[in-house]
Amino acid sequence: MNKKITLLLLLIAFSFQSMSAQNAIKSVIEPLKNERWWGGLVALGNQMPFINLGMQDMSRNNLNNQVVPFMLSSEGRYIWSENPFRFEVKDGQLVIYSDTEKLEPVVAGKTLKDAHLAASAKHFPPSGNIPEPVFFSLPQYNTWIELMYNQNQDDIMNYAHKVVENGFPQGVFMVDDNWQKYYGNFDFKPEKFPDAKAMTDELHRMGFKVMLWVAPYVSADSPEFRILEQKGYLLKDKKGNAAIVRWWNGYSACYDATNPEAMEYLKQQLRANQQKYGIDGFKFDGGDVAYMTGEYAFHDANANVNTFMEKWAEIGLSFPYNELRASWKLGGQALVQRLGDKDYSWRANQLLIPDMTAAGLLGHYYTCPDMIGGGQYGAFLGVKTFDEELIVRSCQVHALMPMMQFSVAPWRILSRENAAICAQYARLHQQMGDYILSLAKHAAETGEPIVRHMEYQFPHQGFVECKDQFMLGDKYLVAPMTTSGTARTVVLPKGTWKDDRGKVFRGPKTVTLDVPLERLPYFEKVK
């Protein structure tokens, strides 16, 4: 795009935000002593707690991830709204602009944990249900980085067989985008999948559960488009015509997720796909408010683009094997959420822990930290020699998260020795599966996150800025290598801790550890 046009669009967007802020109801939240704020957008986790943050508009950009109209502080206060708002932070001062109400903080207690649990109980109570247990106890495998838009039966089966041959546990297997004839149709491309049912049957015999990528978009000028348009199930523009949405793969019509009949019809199509091909569930992609840039006449006259994103994500509740990347609200629900696509880089590796702790604080307890090594396919294009240390360290970050997902194949890009290290940590995840599953069940009853910020678990002990270690429940402190190297410091809270090599430490204490490539440091709280 021409640089002048790009600059003009940025200026227009900035002007729009400025005018919106001027016309909105402004709430200025002065910080208490030592108070810091988290919240709003999961993708900003790496900037939390905020000191200075430019204007964020929940109704215009979800930053490729989940959005929740919820802010919470280290001093036990929180803010909740049922509607999207804009916010910025200036030297710790939180400023909120709402089109509907004056927003004031609720005093829930004195800690980050107090704020989270009070807000959860009132605004996003845990449902009592969790996604399928296999998500927590076994790795996931996604074909995206290896195959990208060339999804096909031969390469998919080769990938699956390599999983087994290289000693990785079989878990959930996801076939990503471009398996369909076209968007809105739920049959496999016959030229790429000569016998899709035989493929899924073989994957099941090998011990995998099988999921397919889907999105709300519908290829225009297709039989499905004409059927859906006739039924009134497509999103409409203000003139009453089928709206065309520009998303990352081009221009498409779109299901109107605010229409219950349309969503029920879509569920019927997906269930027919399950019955025909033996599919266990679906990865529900898209629906981002960032792509909803037009003026729409939703079926629900009271809906907005955030409602659309919420209703699209809710479809996952009808399929126990589900995965979402974008949603509005829906904390505490039995949905598998995933962090947005990360680059193949050390910087991206450093984002995983703070983004995951943010997801937990915002109510998305059952979250997968993207794909090991990164899920942004553009970052892999043209790479001839991979940074093997980065891939192994990324795998170790994932190993003691609620879920771990492979996409780029370790056995293809790593030495035999380093691929074996990745398999070792996939098996560690499997070994810890019962404990992680117990945390998921606990979250479903109490609203306590599985992955916990150190400040959440150990308030007012100096962990507000901690972004490279986390608590897995209340038992394990996990301190992976997020940067290149073979040594790191770990800050242990009060108590007695036993590390992964059996050495015992008494906290509070800062320790320096030797971390060769094959080591993932973690500490069990024994007293």
Side-chain angles (χ1 to χ4, degrees), residues 47 53 79 93 116 146 163 170 219 249 274 283 290 304 310 331 368 373 390 404 455 468 472 477 500 510:
Q47 298 185 53
L53 181 72
I79 295 167
Q93 180 192 70
H116 169 81
E146 285 298 301
V163 170
Q170 298 94 308
S219 296
N249 274 346
Q274 288 183 297
K283 170 182 175 176
N304 55 38
E310 179 181 18
C368 178
L390 170 57
M404 66 186 307
E455 179 66 21
D468 64 352
L472 180 62
L477 188 160
D500 51 293
T510 300

Side-chain angles (χ1 to χ4, degrees), residues 112-143:
L112 186 65
K113 181 176 181 177
D114 291 338
H116 169 81
L117 291 179
S120 169
K122 186 170 183 178
H123 301 290
F124 47 96
S127 68
N129 300 314
I130 66 171
E132 284 289 334
V134 68
F135 281 111
F136 305 100
S137 57
L138 291 168
Q140 304 163 27
Y141 303 90
N142 185 295
T143 60

Side-chain angles (χ1 to χ4, degrees), residues 489-509:
T489 58
V490 179
V491 182
L492 297 174
K494 295 176 183 178
T496 303
W497 302 86
K498 182 172 69 173
D499 75 3
D500 51 293
R501 291 176 170 176
K503 187 174 181 179
V504 176
F505 301 85
R506 185 174 297 277
K509 186 175 185 179

Side-chain angles (χ1 to χ4, degrees), residues 57-63 67 287-293 304-309 326 328:
D57 187 343
M58 297 179 179
S59 67
R60 298 182 69 81
N61 197 351
N62 58 299
L63 301 180
V67 186
D288 307 67
V289 298
Y291 298 109
M292 307 295 289
T293 57
N304 55 38
V305 292
N306 294 79
T307 315
F308 175 91
M309 187 162 68
W328 168 247

Side-chain angles (χ1 to χ4, degrees), residues 275-399:
Q275 185 172 11
K276 183 175 182 178
Y277 297 110
I279 300 302
D280 297 292
F282 300 95
K283 170 182 175 176
F284 296 96
D285 208 353
D288 307 67
V289 298
Y291 298 109
M292 307 295 289
T293 57
E295 295 291 328
Y296 306 110
F298 294 103
H299 174 83
D300 179 350
N302 296 315
N304 55 38
V305 292
N306 294 79
T307 315
F308 175 91
M309 187 162 68
E310 179 181 18
K311 294 302 180 183
W312 169 245
E314 280 181 353
I315 194 174
L317 295 172
S318 297
F319 300 89
Y321 286 94
N322 64 68
E323 184 191 273
L324 281 298
R325 177 192 49 74
S327 69
W328 168 247
K329 300 181 184 176
L330 296 178
Q333 297 300 309
L335 295 170
V336 173
Q337 300 281 356
R338 180 175 62 82
L339 295 186
D341 297 354
K342 298 287 191 289
D343 288 336
Y344 157 67
S345 71
W346 281 105
R347 174 57 185 156
N349 200 45
Q350 295 167 35
L351 304 181
L352 297 176
I353 292 174
D355 286 6
M356 283 293 292
T357 56
L361 288 171
L362 294 178
H364 295 304
Y365 313 125
Y366 320 117
T367 298
C368 178
D370 193 29
M371 301 168 184
I372 291 165
Q376 177 54 260
Y377 81 94
F380 288 87
L381 297 177
V383 177
K384 302 297 183 183
T385 302
F386 284 86
D387 184 339
E388 299 199 16
E389 180 190 8
L390 170 57
I391 300 298
V392 172
R393 294 306 194 190
S394 176
C395 179
Q396 291 168 345
V397 174
H398 286 67

Side-chain angles (χ1 to χ4, degrees), residues 120 125-130 332 363 365-366 437-450 452:
S120 169
S127 68
N129 300 314
I130 66 171
Y365 313 125
Y366 320 117
L437 180 58
S438 74
L439 294 176
K441 293 177 179 178
H442 180 73
E445 298 298 331
T446 66
E448 287 241 68
I450 298 174
R452 302 176 188 175

Side-chain angles (χ1 to χ4, degrees), residues 397-418:
V397 174
H398 286 67
L400 293 181
M401 292 288 186
M403 304 175 194
M404 66 186 307
Q405 184 175 122
F406 292 93
S407 191
V408 67
W411 49 87
R412 180 179 67 83
I413 66 170
L414 301 181
S415 68
R416 185 184 298 255
E417 294 77 16
N418 288 339

